[in-house]
Amino acid sequence: HLSPLSDVTLMAATSTGAYHMDVLRAQAAFSLPCVIGAAMGYLFLGIAADRMGIIMASILSMVGGAGITVLLLGLMSAYAQYAITQTRR
């Protein structure tokens, strides 16, 4: 999803008339919170699996990872809205 030479990135850039690295930056803004959320979920799973069992740790790591992802995307959205209102002044 974040490869600068992938067909999806090049086709999106070509069809919109944008520079392909700009498309890659836009995709990265949405992919990085997902990567961070997944990494935190795996970290929690690795730490908690011995203590609470694999099933319960798996469920909690999925919920926690999804929660972190939604939180980061929400923070990005709030910052974008703030930046838009600041530029209009």
Side-chain angles (χ1 to χ4, degrees):
H1 186 73
L2 290 177
S3 172
L5 299 177
S6 73
D7 57 342
V8 174
T9 303
L10 294 175
M11 290 296 288
T14 303
S15 65
T16 59
Y19 182 59
H20 76 281
M21 291 306 287
D22 292 337
V23 172
L24 184 67
R25 282 187 201 97
Q27 289 175 340
F30 293 103
S31 298
L32 290 178
C34 298
V35 169
I36 292 169
M40 296 303 288
Y42 279 120
L43 179 66
F44 177 78
L45 179 63
I47 293 170
D50 289 338
R51 294 188 180 107
M52 62 178 59
I54 191 70
I55 301 295
M56 187 58 134
S58 297
I59 292 169
L60 290 175
S61 70
M62 284 189 288
V63 170
I68 290 169
T69 300
V70 168
L71 176 70
L72 290 174
L73 289 171
L75 289 172
M76 286 175 53
S77 175
Y79 176 74
Q81 290 297 323
Y82 173 76
I84 289 170
T85 58
Q86 292 300 314
T87 57
R88 290 185 181 169
R89 290 184 180 182

